[in-house]
Amino acid sequence: MSLHLSHLQAMLLFAVVISVAFGFLSRRPAMERLKYILWSLGLFLLIGIGIGWVMYPFSH
Amino acid sequence: MKPAIGNGPMVEEAQAATDVIDSKRQKLALGIGLAGWIVPGLGHALQKMWGRAVACCLTVAALVFIGAGMRGNLFTSEGGDAFATLGYLADLGAGSFYFVAKALETNGPDVSRADGDYGTRFLAAAGVLNLLAALHAYEAARGRKA
């Protein structure tokens, strides 16, 4: 079994899975839970991509 | 005439009964936490929290499958340094899914490429997430609002 993912795909998958897990572990009604999952996912991606761009000057 | 309120025998009996119930509840909670560690989601399932049980099981399983599929490194107890030991503890957090990951990685880890590096992180995250879920199940069993 072999899985080849790009950096973005790996980050996206990770963010989705962790956000869903955090959402379900919190004690919230269904709609709030969904909003929390989406908010958490957005933050993961924003911070992940943001840190990538911050590190960009140092990679060259 | 009002009954005297104080340290009467009835109060002591009630306190002893409460202590027994608390002790039983604590043991039950520990068992539930342990079950949740060994089988992801089981701790919540035992308390009929079906949504959380399915979510915990599926998310831990997804991380393990993706991590093993990307040929991440699954640490063992024979690690030579503190980092390897920490990695082993994190991986072991996935409970029985640690052995599932071991069975899935038929070609062994490959950390020479970025895939393998990501896979290692996915496997560790699976373990840590499962520990969090097991702790959550334990706290819920103790009656803490969760």
Side-chain angles (χ1 to χ4, degrees), chain A residues 1-28 33, chain B residues 44 51-52 55-56 59 62-63 65-66 68-71 104 106 113-115 118 121-122 125 129 132-133 136 145-146:
Chain A
M1 176 177 136
S2 189
L3 203 59
H4 297 289
L5 299 173
S6 68
H7 295 274
L8 183 64
Q9 286 168 338
M11 184 179 71
L12 210 60
L13 256 177
F14 187 84
V16 166
V17 173
I18 298 295
S19 296
V20 166
F22 280 179
F24 273 88
L25 285 176
S26 66
R27 187 171 61 103
R28 294 161 198 263
R33 187 176 281 170
Chain B
H44 291 95
R52 283 175 177 150
C56 288
T59 50
L63 288 170
F65 273 90
I66 295 168
M70 293 173 89
R71 297 184 65 188
L104 285 171
T106 47
R113 295 160 52 239
D115 276 355
Y118 280 126
R121 311 294 175 248
F122 270 79
L129 181 64
L132 181 66
H136 186 271
K145 284 189 178 177

Side-chain angles (χ1 to χ4, degrees), chain B residues 4-92:
Chain B
I5 297 170
N7 293 330
M10 282 177 67
V11 171
E12 284 174 8
E13 271 181 33
Q15 185 61 48
T18 306
D19 288 345
V20 166
I21 291 168
D22 282 346
S23 170
K24 278 185 181 172
R25 187 175 218 172
Q26 178 67 20
K27 284 180 186 164
L28 181 68
L30 274 172
I32 282 174
L34 199 64
W37 167 58
I38 293 171
V39 179
L42 184 57
H44 291 95
L46 288 172
Q47 299 176 82
K48 299 192 169 108
M49 297 178 180
W50 304 116
R52 283 175 177 150
V54 169
C56 288
C57 188
L58 288 180
T59 50
V60 172
L63 288 170
V64 162
F65 273 90
I66 295 168
M70 293 173 89
R71 297 184 65 188
N73 190 20
L74 199 62
F75 292 96
T76 63
S77 57
E78 288 147 16
D81 53 32
F83 181 78
T85 304
L86 264 176
Y88 175 58
L89 291 174
D91 289 344
L92 213 54

Side-chain angles (χ1 to χ4, degrees), chain A residues 12-57:
Chain A
L12 210 60
L13 256 177
F14 187 84
V16 166
V17 173
I18 298 295
S19 296
V20 166
F22 280 179
F24 273 88
L25 285 176
S26 66
R27 187 171 61 103
R28 294 161 198 263
M31 267 321 286
E32 270 190 49
R33 187 176 281 170
L34 179 64
K35 283 183 196 169
Y36 177 80
I37 289 171
L38 291 173
W39 175 78
S40 171
L41 176 64
L43 273 185
F44 260 112
L45 295 179
L46 194 70
I47 291 170
I49 293 171
I51 289 177
W53 278 107
V54 166
M55 290 195 297
Y56 178 73

